[in-house]
Amino acid sequence: MNGSPHLGHLYTSVAVDILHRFALLFGESFFSIGTDEHGQKVEQSAQRNKCETQDYVDSMYIEFYKLMNAANIKYDAFVRTSSKKHKDNVLNFWDKLCKKGDVYEGAYSGWYSTRDEQFYSEDEVSDGANGKIAKISNSPVEWLEEKCMFFKLSKYQNILLDYYKKNKDIIKPSSRYNETIGMLEAGIPDLAVTRSRFSWGVSCGEGQVIYVWVDALSNYITAMENNVDYWINDMIHIIGKDILKFHAIYWPALLLSADYALPKRIYAHGWWTVNKEKMSKSLGNVIDPFEILNKYGIDQLRYCIMKEMSFGQDGDFDHERIKNRINTELANVIGNLTQRILSFVWKEYEETLEINSIDENDYELLKCWDECLENSYSAMKEQQIHVYLEEVRKAAAKTNQYVDGAAPWKCDDANKRRILSVGIECIKRMALILSPVMPEMSKKILNILGCEINIDSWFKSINYRKLDKPSPLFSRIIG
């Protein structure tokens, strides 16, 4: 909350929204999101803006709330860490840690980065142009000495190490798993979990404020409220790779201490660059998420940013590639396929067509879509969003090839009806499987066909339904 929303916030939110909507096609899902509003850097941002800290976070929250609406993010819980409900929960969580005997009084001296909200050891800092900096983030650090409370993180080092080695699929991608194992094997000291140098946070008494990462991570428990026991065994965290240590080491240790189940999956995605350069205000290449949503369209941008980056790897945002992807994959393949079939059916029959018979080519195409569904489901169980989207694109391309080869415009009425009925069935399936990514486009198609957005519609025949003249789904971008 110390700055405005950026492309990274949009990307993570869209990714989880897609995973959530996809899961809802097949069963239950609960999607939690929120704003981390405490900590020294937030307090300092408020001071720079010459306003009270609560007023500052209230105004910043609105920007994030607006972004979620602008990007069509449908969450079940939005946790603001400055809310009374969350503060009460943090203190309850803190009490569990204390009763377990995992919190003790001590003093800390070392290098601290306000920007990263993290302490660094001597070998993790180096000399910068204006003083010491953290090697991993280039953030300035200062030498701190203060009395504080410590959490017995080292107590859980071998427990976590053993658990992860027996459950290698918990942390993805594999490079992040290896990174976590490396951190654990190198040794983890106990964690300073209170601060006394600032007041903006959850007070635990005697001038101490609970460390922002204990506070912020507790939001997952806050989100689940009275349904913790129901949801917690299936908890999946989607995070940026820069906060891997907090989610893969600190959080699981805290959960163990508080007697909660460990996450089912921790998936750390990559970072965005712009035209191969790191985003920077000085370079003038920071991507405003509101601006690009307005420029390209909500569904179009959701699709493109998930195709531009293999989920888990770094990616580069390039306006020309976004335009090309909209023109080739959305307008030429998905949009063209839908438009040509629905327009032809409307012109010839003015109503939808039900499949009454199929030949071998029809069967192979429908089988291709069934395989697309199966492969997409397998990919999404592993959070491989880009793999799922490529499966759909390939099936749509094959359907376009089928229409070209079958040439219904040259056929007698019986074969024309057969080909177009298969084509409509494929459009229905395409809209269903793409509904998590492009919900508005999918809703438009499925409303035309009289279908619900749930997986049962995949296996149900399309009933006869009057058609209006269809309009294009996507416009090509020129220039």
Side-chain angles (χ1 to χ4, degrees):
M1 294 290 280
N2 61 317
S4 298
H6 54 66
L7 178 60
H9 296 116
L10 175 66
Y11 179 71
T12 310
S13 303
V14 169
V16 183
D17 188 57
I18 291 170
L19 291 165
H20 172 58
R21 289 176 186 261
F22 192 92
L24 286 175
L25 288 174
F26 300 91
E28 291 183 293
S29 179
F30 185 88
F31 174 16
S32 169
I33 200 166
T35 42
D36 174 10
E37 302 185 4
H38 286 146
Q40 188 176 10
K41 65 181 179 181
V42 174
E43 186 177 67
Q44 290 177 348
S45 294
Q47 291 168 353
R48 285 195 296 271
N49 284 273
K50 299 179 180 178
C51 64
E52 293 295 323
T53 313
Q54 186 64 57
D55 292 338
Y56 171 76
V57 295
D58 286 347
S59 66
M60 293 301 296
Y61 154 75
I62 293 171
E63 291 300 305
F64 287 89
Y65 177 78
K66 286 180 178 178
L67 180 61
M68 297 305 102
N69 287 334
N72 203 358
I73 307 297
K74 301 299 182 186
Y75 48 82
D76 295 295
F78 194 112
V79 178
R80 295 186 61 188
T81 61
S82 67
S83 68
K84 183 180 185 305
K85 180 176 73 173
H86 177 70
K87 290 177 182 178
D88 290 345
N89 177 70
V90 171
L91 291 173
N92 181 56
F93 191 82
W94 176 257
D95 188 54
K96 289 177 182 287
L97 305 180
C98 294
K99 286 181 177 178
K100 193 67 171 285
D102 284 343
V103 175
Y104 63 93
E105 188 176 336
Y108 187 87
S109 60
W111 297 104
Y112 182 72
S113 165
T114 299
R115 184 188 301 171
D116 300 340
E117 295 174 326
Q118 182 176 353
F119 283 103
Y120 290 102
S121 61
E122 193 68 45
D123 60 355
E124 292 176 315
V125 302
S126 61
D127 293 324
N130 298 305
K132 295 285 187 179
I133 59 171
K135 292 178 181 178
I136 193 170
S137 64
N138 291 325
S139 301
V141 296
E142 59 179 325
W143 186 262
L144 275 187
E145 296 183 6
E146 63 177 330
K147 288 183 178 181
C148 60
M149 304 299 290
F150 281 82
F151 171 68
K152 295 180 181 178
L153 185 62
S154 59
K155 170 182 172 181
Y156 296 96
Q157 175 182 339
N158 290 332
I159 297 172
L160 287 175
L161 192 56
D162 181 63
Y163 183 75
Y164 287 148
K165 286 186 175 181
K166 291 177 179 177
N167 300 275
K168 294 185 177 181
D169 285 340
I170 288 180
I171 302 172
K172 292 287 186 175
S174 57
S175 58
R176 303 300 158 219
Y177 170 81
N178 293 334
E179 184 179 339
T180 303
I181 295 298
M183 287 189 285
L184 286 168
E185 289 182 335
I188 48 174
D190 287 349
L191 179 66
V193 285
T194 63
R195 301 286 185 270
S196 60
R197 299 176 73 247
F198 60 94
S199 59
W200 183 244
V202 181
S203 172
C204 57
E206 298 184 11
Q208 297 288 319
V209 171
I210 295 174
Y211 178 41
V212 66
W213 275 106
V214 177
D215 164 8
L217 289 164
S218 301
N219 91 84
Y220 303 119
I221 307 298
T222 303
M224 290 181 276
E225 295 188 287
N226 296 327
N227 298 310
V228 172
D229 292 338
Y230 185 76
W231 288 113
I232 199 163
N233 289 317
D234 292 312
M235 186 164 51
I236 296 173
H237 297 305
I238 307 297
I239 61 171
K241 65 180 183 179
D242 53 321
I243 54 175
L244 179 66
K245 178 190 288 186
F246 306 106
H247 279 78
I249 296 179
Y250 295 178
W251 178 232
L254 291 167
L255 285 170
L256 288 170
S257 178
D259 295 320
Y260 287 115
L262 294 183
K264 181 179 180 180
R265 172 69 48 82
I266 301 166
Y267 202 105
H269 65 69
W271 288 339
W272 281 99
T273 56
V274 178
N275 297 328
K276 306 298 183 182
E277 292 184 312
K278 186 176 180 180
M279 276 187 279
S280 167
K281 289 182 181 179
S282 62
L283 293 175
N285 65 351
V286 174
I287 300 295
D288 183 333
F290 294 99
E291 184 179 309
I292 56 175
L293 282 166
N294 184 61
K295 180 175 183 176
Y296 296 118
I298 300 169
D299 279 0
Q300 294 93 318
L301 188 67
R302 284 169 62 103
Y303 177 90
C304 288
I305 61 175
M306 300 317 302
K307 282 298 293 288
E308 279 296 295
M309 187 189 291
S310 294
F311 201 58
Q313 306 301 315
D314 292 344
D316 188 63
F317 188 93
D318 183 284
H319 285 282
E320 288 304 313
R321 286 214 307 272
I322 296 293
K323 293 175 187 177
N324 290 338
R325 199 176 288 281
I326 290 173
N327 290 341
T328 56
E329 296 183 22
L330 296 184
N332 289 0
V333 177
I334 293 170
N336 179 58
L337 172 62
T338 305
Q339 182 70 9
R340 69 193 301 203
I341 291 176
L342 289 181
S343 293
F344 198 1
V345 173
W346 171 79
K347 181 180 178 181
E348 294 288 322
Y349 306 107
E350 295 186 342
E351 65 181 4
T352 57
L353 303 173
E354 186 177 1
I355 295 177
N356 291 316
S357 63
I358 59 173
D359 66 13
E360 185 176 344
N361 288 334
D362 305 334
Y363 172 78
E364 288 300 321
L365 180 62
L366 294 172
K367 181 182 175 183
C368 167
W369 278 102
D370 285 334
E371 290 172 349
C372 172
L373 177 64
E374 184 178 346
N375 293 339
S376 295
Y377 184 83
S378 297
M380 291 294 271
K381 281 181 68 176
E382 299 299 318
Q383 295 78 49
Q384 294 292 282
I385 303 174
H386 58 290
V387 174
Y388 138 65
L389 287 178
E390 182 59 16
E391 288 291 326
V392 181
R393 188 204 63 78
K394 289 189 295 185
K398 286 183 179 179
T399 308
N400 263 322
Q401 293 169 4
Y402 162 85
V403 175
D404 291 338
W409 50 88
K410 295 180 180 179
C411 297
D412 58 44
D413 189 65
N415 281 314
K416 185 187 298 182
R417 282 179 174 272
R418 173 183 58 79
I419 295 163
L420 292 174
S421 67
V422 171
I424 287 179
E425 175 66 20
C426 292
I427 288 173
K428 178 198 77 175
R429 295 183 177 190
M430 179 181 69
L432 273 171
I433 198 68
L434 279 176
S435 62
V437 184
M438 295 187 284
E440 294 308 310
M441 178 277 291
S442 297
K443 186 192 302 181
K444 181 178 179 180
I445 295 173
L446 294 171
N447 282 344
I448 290 171
L449 301 179
C451 299
E452 299 291 329
I453 301 182
N454 60 61
I455 206 61
D456 291 342
S457 295
W458 189 279
F459 306 101
K460 292 180 180 177
S461 298
I462 296 173
N463 297 320
Y464 291 111
R465 186 180 179 88
K466 192 75 173 175
L467 287 176
D468 294 324
K469 183 178 181 179
S471 56
L473 293 175
F474 306 107
S475 299
R476 290 179 58 81
I477 299 177
I478 308 299

